[in-house]
Coordinates of all heavy atoms in Angstrom, one line a residue:
S203 N 110.7 113.6 94.7 CA 111.1 112.2 94.7 C 111.2 111.8 93.2 O 110.8 112.5 92.3 CB 110.1 111.3 95.4 OG 108.8 111.3 94.8
A204 N 111.7 110.6 93.0 CA 111.8 110.1 91.6 C 111.5 108.6 91.7 O 112.0 107.9 92.6 CB 113.1 110.4 91.0
A205 N 110.8 108.1 90.7 CA 110.7 106.6 90.5 C 111.8 106.2 89.6 O 112.1 106.8 88.6 CB 109.3 106.3 89.9
T206 N 112.5 105.1 90.0 CA 113.7 104.7 89.3 C 113.7 103.2 88.9 O 112.9 102.5 89.4 CB 115.0 105.0 90.1 OG1 115.0 104.1 91.2 CG2 115.0 106.5 90.6
H207 N 114.7 102.8 88.1 CA 115.0 101.5 87.9 C 115.3 100.8 89.2 O 115.7 101.4 90.2 CB 116.2 101.4 86.9 CG 116.5 100.0 86.4 ND1 115.5 99.2 85.8 CD2 117.6 99.3 86.4 CE1 116.1 98.0 85.5 NE2 117.4 98.1 85.8
Y208 N 115.1 99.5 89.2 CA 115.3 98.7 90.5 C 116.8 98.7 90.9 O 117.0 98.5 92.1 CB 114.7 97.3 90.4 CG 115.6 96.3 89.8 CD1 116.2 95.3 90.5 CD2 115.8 96.2 88.4 CE1 117.0 94.4 89.9 CE2 116.5 95.3 87.8 CZ 117.2 94.3 88.6 OH 118.0 93.4 87.9
K209 N 117.7 99.0 90.0 CA 119.1 99.0 90.3 C 119.6 100.4 89.9 O 119.0 101.1 89.1 CB 119.9 97.9 89.5 CG 119.5 96.5 89.9 CD 120.2 95.5 89.1 CE 121.7 95.4 89.5 NZ 122.3 94.3 88.8
P210 N 120.8 100.8 90.4 CA 121.3 102.1 90.1 C 122.0 102.2 88.8 O 122.6 103.3 88.4 CB 122.4 102.3 91.2 CG 122.8 100.9 91.6 CD 121.6 100.1 91.4
E211 N 122.0 101.1 88.0 CA 122.4 101.2 86.6 C 121.5 100.4 85.7 O 120.7 99.5 86.2 CB 123.9 100.6 86.5 CG 124.0 99.1 86.8 CD 124.2 98.8 88.3 OE1 124.6 99.7 89.0 OE2 123.8 97.7 88.7
I212 N 121.5 100.7 84.5 CA 120.6 100.1 83.5 C 121.3 100.1 82.2 O 122.0 101.0 81.8 CB 119.3 100.8 83.4 CG1 118.3 100.1 82.5 CG2 119.4 102.3 83.0 CD1 116.8 100.6 82.6
Y213 N 121.2 99.0 81.5 CA 121.9 98.8 80.2 C 120.9 99.0 79.0 O 119.9 98.3 78.9 CB 122.6 97.5 80.1 CG 123.5 97.4 78.9 CD1 124.8 97.9 78.9 CD2 123.1 96.8 77.7 CE1 125.7 97.8 77.9 CE2 123.9 96.7 76.6 CZ 125.2 97.2 76.7 OH 126.0 97.2 75.6
F214 N 121.2 99.9 78.1 CA 120.5 100.0 76.8 C 121.6 99.7 75.8 O 122.1 98.6 75.7 CB 119.9 101.4 76.7 CG 118.7 101.5 77.6 CD1 118.8 102.3 78.8 CD2 117.5 100.9 77.3 CE1 117.7 102.4 79.7 CE2 116.4 101.1 78.1 CZ 116.5 101.8 79.3
N215 N 122.0 100.7 75.0 CA 123.2 100.5 74.1 C 124.5 100.7 74.9 O 125.6 100.5 74.3 CB 123.1 101.5 73.0 CG 121.9 101.2 72.1 OD1 121.6 100.0 71.8 ND2 121.2 102.2 71.6
E216 N 124.4 101.2 76.1 CA 125.6 101.4 77.0 C 125.1 101.3 78.4 O 123.9 101.4 78.7 CB 126.2 102.8 76.7 CG 125.2 104.0 77.0 CD 125.8 105.3 76.8 OE1 126.7 105.7 77.5 OE2 125.4 106.0 75.8
L217 N 126.0 101.1 79.3 CA 125.8 101.0 80.7 C 125.5 102.4 81.2 O 126.4 103.3 81.1 CB 126.9 100.4 81.5 CG 126.6 100.1 83.0 CD1 125.5 99.2 83.2 CD2 127.9 99.6 83.7
C218 N 124.4 102.7 81.7 CA 124.0 104.0 82.3 C 123.8 104.0 83.8 O 123.1 103.1 84.3 CB 122.7 104.5 81.6 SG 122.6 104.4 79.8
K219 N 124.5 104.8 84.5 CA 124.5 104.9 85.9 C 123.8 106.1 86.5 O 124.1 107.2 86.0 CB 125.9 104.8 86.5 CG 126.6 103.5 86.1 CD 128.0 103.4 86.8 CE 128.7 102.1 86.5 NZ 130.0 102.0 87.1
Y220 N 122.8 105.9 87.4 CA 122.2 107.0 88.0 C 123.1 107.9 88.8 O 124.1 107.4 89.3 CB 121.1 106.5 89.0 CG 119.8 106.1 88.3 CD1 119.5 104.8 87.9 CD2 118.8 107.1 88.1 CE1 118.3 104.5 87.3 CE2 117.6 106.8 87.5 CZ 117.3 105.5 87.1 OH 116.1 105.1 86.5
P221 N 122.9 109.2 88.8 CA 123.7 110.1 89.5 C 123.4 110.1 91.0 O 122.7 110.9 91.6 CB 123.4 111.5 88.9 CG 121.9 111.3 88.5 CD 121.8 109.9 88.1
V222 N 124.0 109.1 91.7 CA 123.7 108.8 93.1 C 124.0 110.0 94.0 O 123.3 110.4 94.9 CB 124.4 107.5 93.6 CG1 124.2 107.4 95.1 CG2 123.9 106.3 92.8
A223 N 125.1 110.7 93.7 CA 125.5 111.9 94.5 C 124.4 113.0 94.4 O 124.1 113.6 95.5 CB 126.8 112.4 94.1
S224 N 123.9 113.2 93.2 CA 122.9 114.2 93.1 C 121.6 113.7 93.7 O 120.9 114.6 94.3 CB 122.7 114.5 91.6 OG 121.6 115.4 91.4
I225 N 121.3 112.5 93.7 CA 120.1 112.0 94.3 C 120.2 112.2 95.8 O 119.2 112.7 96.4 CB 119.9 110.5 94.0 CG1 119.4 110.3 92.5 CG2 118.9 109.8 94.9 CD1 119.4 108.9 92.0
N226 N 121.3 111.8 96.4 CA 121.5 112.1 97.8 C 121.4 113.5 98.2 O 120.8 113.8 99.3 CB 122.9 111.5 98.2 CG 122.9 110.0 98.4 OD1 121.9 109.4 98.6 ND2 124.1 109.5 98.2
K227 N 121.9 114.4 97.4 CA 121.9 115.8 97.7 C 120.5 116.4 97.5 O 120.2 117.3 98.3 CB 122.9 116.5 96.9 CG 123.0 118.0 97.0 CD 124.0 118.6 96.0 CE 124.1 120.1 96.1 NZ 125.0 120.7 95.1
N228 N 119.8 116.0 96.6 CA 118.6 116.8 96.1 C 117.2 116.2 96.3 O 116.3 116.9 96.4 CB 118.8 117.1 94.6 CG 120.0 117.9 94.3 OD1 120.2 119.0 94.9 ND2 120.9 117.4 93.5
L229 N 117.1 114.8 96.3 CA 115.8 114.2 96.4 C 115.6 113.8 97.9 O 116.4 113.5 98.6 CB 115.7 112.9 95.5 CG 115.7 113.2 94.0 CD1 115.7 111.8 93.3 CD2 114.5 114.1 93.6
D230 N 114.3 113.9 98.2 CA 113.9 113.4 99.5 C 113.9 111.8 99.6 O 114.2 111.3 100.6 CB 112.5 113.9 99.9 CG 112.5 115.4 100.1 OD1 113.1 115.8 101.1 OD2 112.0 116.1 99.2

Side-chain angles (χ1 to χ4, degrees):
S203 66
T206 69
H207 188 52
Y208 82 105
K209 296 178 73 170
E211 65 274 336
I212 184 169
Y213 188 85
F214 290 101
N215 294 320
E216 60 180 288
L217 184 64
C218 308
K219 296 184 178 182
Y220 277 93
V222 175
S224 179
I225 287 171
N226 282 337
K227 178 183 176 183
N228 299 303
L229 290 180
D230 292 290

